[in-house]
Amino acid sequence: MHTMKALLTGGPETAMGSGIVEVQNLAETVKIAFAAGYEHFRHHGEVRHVDGQEMPVFAWCGRTRIAE
């Protein structure tokens, strides 16, 4: 399966690490596990150049808690 690098913006900075993740589909929501929950990021069409590479931007859109 083909993956591409994407840039995460918004949300808690400590959850994002470098802020760059691998994604397979621009239509999917990216979920990052963080502090007993998940931070959610979605792509809305924005693209940025990072280190000479064009990357889709996934903006923070919410948080859910992990069910116990």
Side-chain angles (χ1 to χ4, degrees), residues 6-20:
L7 178 65
L8 303 179
T9 62
E13 289 183 27
T14 53
M16 297 181 347
S18 70
I20 297 175

Side-chain angles (χ1 to χ4, degrees), residues 36-62:
Y38 292 99
E39 303 301 330
H40 298 263
F41 299 83
R42 287 196 185 122
H43 180 62
H44 297 285
E46 183 182 354
V47 176
R48 291 188 194 167
H49 287 76
V50 178
D51 296 329
Q53 225 178 336
E54 194 173 76
M55 290 187 199
V57 175
F58 280 70
W60 182 81
C61 60

Side-chain angles (χ1 to χ4, degrees), residues 1-8 21-31 40-46 55-59:
M1 211 172 243
H2 178 70
T3 63
M4 66 188 95
K5 289 184 179 183
L7 178 65
L8 303 179
V21 296
E22 294 282 331
V23 298
Q24 294 179 1
N25 183 338
L26 296 179
E28 292 180 10
T29 300
V30 172
K31 282 183 8 178
H40 298 263
F41 299 83
R42 287 196 185 122
H43 180 62
H44 297 285
E46 183 182 354
M55 290 187 199
V57 175
F58 280 70

